[in-house]
Amino acid sequence: MRVILSGYNGTMGQVLKNYIQESTDIEIVAGVGQHALEEVFPTYTSYTDLEKVADVIIDFSHHAGTADLVEYASRTLTKVVVATTGHTPEELVLIDELATKVGVVYAGNYSLGVNVLVELVKKASELLLGYDIEVIEKHHNKKVDAPSGTAKMLVNAVKDTDEYNKVYGRHGDMKRGEKEIGIHAVRGGTIVGEHEVIFAGEDEVIEIKHTALSKKMFAKGSVTAANWLNNTDEPKLYSMKDVLGIE
């Protein structure tokens, strides 16, 4: 399989590059990023002069580059694993449109453990009716978007999530409202990623938590998605549930 690394010169892009080169037989045919670095593969600062060269693009860039990525993928019919978060509604529309032409995997998190966590939250919310729900996520001080894409996945996994009022942090004099989900983002140091969902009921608390110890797991998950997508022909927007075969 031939891949283009989108955002190859970012922190996660370099982790992905090293993982592919050390642990797989995948061929990196190009890198696209904000700044050109000396690599063993050709690098570009835009998709303008890049023709069809790869089977799959793995995107760990910034959501602001979505339009250029979609234009290239649409023009060359190159499949895409979108591992970038923080997209605007307009950018999500572009990704949806791309998925009518080629296969696209879109996920807020590519960790196997996190995707299992999402399923656990879904089941817990079905069983723990009436419990207060809080979502807490922690990341390093360089992360731009808040709340994280994974936190959004967890909120969306809650049964009847549209019926809840989402409260992003709290301050001042205010009691907790009915049908409310509290969502809190912590930024500091070099925290790779922590996500915790609290179900607080009368006289008991259930906590479901995932801790990332290394960014390598995100690289591994995105490569798993790319391999799966490369063997899938139907143009469609897929999730990690499709990749992992989760019903």
Side-chain angles (χ1 to χ4, degrees):
M1 180 175 64
R2 300 166 300 163
V3 301
I4 294 172
L5 304 188
S6 180
Y8 79 96
N9 55 359
T11 301
M12 191 58 229
Q14 288 294 297
V15 172
L16 175 61
K17 180 198 74 171
N18 292 335
Y19 174 77
I20 289 176
Q21 292 176 333
E22 295 170 2
S23 307
T24 75
D25 58 359
I26 293 172
E27 179 185 2
I28 303 173
V29 293
V32 179
Q34 287 186 317
H35 311 290
L37 298 176
E38 186 174 342
E39 300 284 1
V40 296
F41 48 83
T43 61
Y44 304 83
T45 56
S46 76
Y47 287 96
T48 304
D49 300 322
L50 190 57
E51 297 300 324
K52 171 75 172 181
V53 293
D55 301 301
V56 181
I57 300 168
I58 303 179
D59 176 39
F60 273 108
S61 59
H62 187 277
H63 67 87
T66 299
D68 290 339
L69 171 64
V70 167
E71 190 281 328
Y72 171 81
S74 297
R75 171 166 52 87
T76 60
L77 297 180
T78 306
K79 299 171 182 178
V80 183
V81 172
V82 181
T84 301
T85 60
H87 295 94
T88 66
E90 293 77 14
E91 291 162 354
L92 291 175
V93 169
L94 293 177
I95 293 171
D96 285 339
E97 292 175 350
L98 175 62
T100 66
K101 302 175 183 178
V102 297
V104 178
V105 176
Y106 179 89
N109 194 299
Y110 282 83
S111 156
L112 171 60
V114 163
N115 283 276
V116 172
L117 174 66
V118 170
E119 295 303 306
L120 293 174
V121 169
K122 178 180 178 182
K123 188 62 177 179
S125 68
E126 294 172 352
L127 297 173
L128 303 174
L129 300 178
Y131 282 57
D132 295 329
I133 305 172
E134 298 283 305
V135 177
I136 304 170
E137 57 100 340
K138 303 175 185 178
H139 283 90
H140 53 86
N141 57 22
K142 300 294 191 299
K143 186 169 178 61
V144 178
D145 57 310
S148 67
T150 303
K152 294 176 182 177
M153 288 171 60
L154 294 169
V155 171
N156 290 333
V158 172
K159 177 179 172 61
D160 299 326
T161 185
D162 292 338
E163 298 179 4
Y164 285 83
N165 179 36
K166 282 76 173 179
V167 177
Y168 298 89
R170 291 189 177 84
H171 61 88
D173 298 325
M174 57 184 298
K175 290 184 178 181
R176 195 178 204 285
E178 294 288 332
K179 299 290 284 187
E180 179 177 296
I181 298 178
I183 306 165
H184 313 278
V186 177
R187 297 289 177 268
T190 58
I191 301 171
V192 176
E194 294 183 14
H195 293 86
E196 182 177 10
V197 181
I198 299 171
F199 291 87
E202 187 172 349
D203 301 320
E204 65 178 359
V205 176
I206 297 94
E207 299 175 346
I208 309 174
K209 182 178 181 180
H210 177 274
T211 301
L213 302 179
S214 165
K215 292 179 182 294
K216 186 177 178 180
M217 68 175 194
F218 304 126
K220 181 178 180 180
S222 68
V223 168
T224 299
N227 276 312
W228 181 87
L229 187 61
N230 188 43
N231 294 306
T232 303
D233 295 326
E234 182 182 358
K236 186 178 175 181
L237 186 64
Y238 298 98
S239 71
M240 279 300 282
K241 289 181 66 173
D242 298 303
V243 175
L244 299 173
I246 298 174
E247 296 295 332

